[in-house]
Amino acid sequence: MAKTQVKRAFKYRFYPTDAQAAELSRTFGCVRKVYNMALAARTEAWARQERVNYNATSAMLTAWKKTEELAYLNEVSSVPLQQTLRHLQGAFTNFFGRRAKYPHFKSRKRSRKSAEYTTSGFRFRDGKLTLAKMAEPLDIMWSRPLPEGASPSTVTVSQDAAGRWFISVLCEDPAVIPLPATDAEIGIDAGLDHLVSLSTGEKIANPRHERKDRARLARAQRELSRKAKGDGTNRAKARRKVAKIHARIADRRRDRLHKLTTRLVRENQTLVIEDLTVRNMVKNRSLARAVSDAAWRELRGMLEYKCAWYGRNLVVVDRWFPSSKLCSACGALQDRMPLNVRSWTCDCGATHDRDVNAAKNLLAAGRAVSACGTGVRPQRRTPGGQSATKQEIHGATRGISRL
């Protein structure tokens, strides 16, 4: 089996010294400042119907460093500052290509604190990584080794809301090998009662990580709400306590999803999922918490890149496909499917579990997509005039207080 060259990011936690933390904090602030100034300049030019590209903003950065007001930009490495201008250029490219909204300004409190270094901005020798403007290497917890002979191309340093420091090392990973081909196929139906239901009849329980820490989170949020607003130390401590609980929830959720998606990709050649509109679902106030905790979009993202790595096929079925209302045995479409019905019997005599039946129908539709190469859209609307996707959303809200 031939090896494929894959760019892969390896993320580690590290513990900076006080001097390193101060240097990185200054870098984060300068990166944010340069990004916002360049965005403001490009926005003003946009109002004048002029185009400003990366080269123009790079020249602006050189001029800004020569001013007395912005001379402090010279105190940090120039590499992250140039990289943030490249990121802004990418954001405008996506905007002009109608793949994203207009870029927005970075906030000191809400935006992600990060800085990206290319090869000229760091030194990696003998398993030790030293960033520009620093005399000592970072104290990195190497929880797993980098690929043998790896040469990092970029290094991204970040700090999350909980105050934890992370470094992401991007390098070629020659160890990613396509898995041996298999005839196994599986349909995957996402839900809230069960995280996923498989066409094999297996159901994966929804761990509801947020629910387990909901009492602790609510208590911490109440304490935060009692603190005087501003930049006080007590409010910062309370805010960090809330962030640590959120980080704990996110870490457990991500770990569970990684284990699940790796198992599904290893065992099956073709995986079929539904194109869920998670962005619209979370607009429902009674549903947003449960949908966000299930992390369906993150689940799909993991399946996408792991299937690409290991030579698997991921088929995405159209969101309007009425998977829950079709009989997987005879193909009959039910006129109505009451939301409280979790199992039902078709006129042909077949008895179905609602979620497993949907997974089986998704698998059948995925096979049709693979064979025909077109989207599956047998019925965009249900006979009652309500979209199948909306029905599933409202069905998930039943008994939402216990989620």
Side-chain angles (χ1 to χ4, degrees), residues 102-152:
Y102 192 84
H104 61 272
F105 292 95
K106 292 184 180 293
S107 168
R108 181 174 65 89
K109 292 183 179 180
R110 298 184 179 180
S111 297
R112 179 172 180 261
K113 299 178 181 179
S114 66
E116 184 178 270
Y117 295 78
T118 57
T119 51
S120 60
F122 66 88
R123 181 175 69 252
F124 183 69
R125 293 178 183 173
D126 301 326
K128 295 183 179 181
L129 193 147
T130 306
L131 300 177
K133 301 285 186 177
M134 294 186 184
E136 300 178 356
L138 299 178
D139 182 14
I140 302 175
M141 302 300 294
W142 299 101
S143 55
R144 55 176 173 170
L146 289 174
E148 185 177 354
S151 178

Side-chain angles (χ1 to χ4, degrees), residues 73-93:
L73 295 177
N74 294 291
E75 298 176 3
V76 302
S77 172
S78 62
V79 175
L81 305 184
Q82 293 291 344
Q83 286 300 104
T84 197
L85 295 179
R86 291 189 175 93
H87 294 163
L88 179 61
Q89 178 63 36
F92 271 100
T93 299

Side-chain angles (χ1 to χ4, degrees), residues 77-341:
S77 172
S78 62
V79 175
L81 305 184
Q82 293 291 344
Q83 286 300 104
T84 197
L85 295 179
R86 291 189 175 93
H87 294 163
L88 179 61
Q89 178 63 36
F92 271 100
T93 299
N94 291 331
F95 168 70
F96 292 130
R98 302 193 178 190
R99 294 184 296 273
K101 295 182 180 180
Y102 192 84
H104 61 272
F105 292 95
K106 292 184 180 293
S107 168
R108 181 174 65 89
K109 292 183 179 180
R110 298 184 179 180
S111 297
R112 179 172 180 261
K113 299 178 181 179
S114 66
E116 184 178 270
Y117 295 78
T118 57
T119 51
S120 60
F122 66 88
R123 181 175 69 252
F124 183 69
R125 293 178 183 173
D126 301 326
K128 295 183 179 181
L129 193 147
T130 306
L131 300 177
K133 301 285 186 177
M134 294 186 184
E136 300 178 356
L138 299 178
D139 182 14
I140 302 175
M141 302 300 294
W142 299 101
S143 55
R144 55 176 173 170
L146 289 174
E148 185 177 354
S151 178
S153 57
T154 61
V155 168
T156 302
V157 182
S158 62
Q159 184 185 27
D160 66 6
R164 302 179 301 177
W165 295 86
F166 295 96
I167 188 163
S168 180
V169 181
L170 183 67
C171 58
E172 296 279 356
D173 186 5
V176 176
I177 305 175
L179 296 171
T182 177
D183 296 331
E185 300 174 317
I186 198 165
I188 305 171
D189 179 66
L192 294 179
D193 189 21
H194 293 86
L195 182 59
V196 294
S197 298
L198 308 179
S199 56
T200 57
E202 180 184 359
K203 290 187 174 184
I204 308 298
N206 186 356
R208 295 189 177 93
H209 298 292
E210 186 271 341
R211 180 184 178 184
K212 295 178 180 178
D213 281 342
R214 186 172 298 175
R216 295 177 62 238
L217 180 60
R219 185 165 54 251
Q221 289 174 331
R222 284 195 299 269
E223 293 176 359
L224 173 61
S225 67
R226 297 189 188 106
K227 307 300 180 184
K229 294 185 178 179
D231 295 328
T233 303
N234 289 337
R235 185 172 179 84
K237 289 181 179 179
R239 184 187 298 115
R240 182 160 297 184
K241 184 176 180 180
V242 173
K244 286 182 178 180
I245 298 175
H246 278 296
R248 168 187 167 89
I249 295 171
D251 289 345
R252 289 185 302 176
R253 180 189 298 125
R254 191 180 304 109
D255 179 70
R256 179 65 179 269
L257 290 178
H258 269 300
K259 292 176 180 177
L260 173 61
T261 53
T262 299
R263 175 201 149 192
L264 293 176
V265 169
R266 284 178 176 175
E267 295 178 353
N268 301 278
Q269 181 66 35
T270 301
L271 300 89
V272 185
I273 60 175
E274 187 177 6
D275 183 20
L276 297 174
T277 53
V278 178
R279 180 181 300 178
N280 292 336
M281 291 181 185
V282 296
K283 293 179 181 179
N284 186 324
R285 296 181 62 181
S286 61
L287 183 65
R289 171 180 280 182
V291 171
S292 299
D293 193 26
W296 293 333
R297 188 61 189 88
E298 189 172 3
L299 172 70
R300 174 174 171 176
M302 290 182 181
L303 288 175
E304 287 175 345
Y305 78 76
K306 290 181 182 181
C307 285
W309 280 1
Y310 299 110
R312 299 312 199 194
N313 305 318
L314 181 65
V315 181
V316 181
V317 175
D318 188 271
R319 68 189 62 169
W320 300 104
F321 179 60
S323 56
S324 296
K325 299 172 64 177
L326 281 175
C327 174
S328 58
C330 67
L333 178 64
Q334 303 299 308
D335 293 334
R336 293 183 67 256
M337 182 63 63
L339 301 178
N340 61 337
V341 175

Side-chain angles (χ1 to χ4, degrees), residues 31-47 52-53 57 60 64 84-85 87-89 91-92 95 101-107:
V31 165
R32 182 179 60 253
K33 179 68 173 180
V34 170
Y35 184 94
N36 288 341
M37 292 178 62
L39 176 56
R42 296 186 68 151
T43 301
E44 294 173 0
W46 173 260
V52 176
N53 57 17
T57 55
M60 292 179 186
W64 292 336
T84 197
L85 295 179
H87 294 163
L88 179 61
Q89 178 63 36
F92 271 100
F95 168 70
K101 295 182 180 180
Y102 192 84
H104 61 272
F105 292 95
K106 292 184 180 293
S107 168

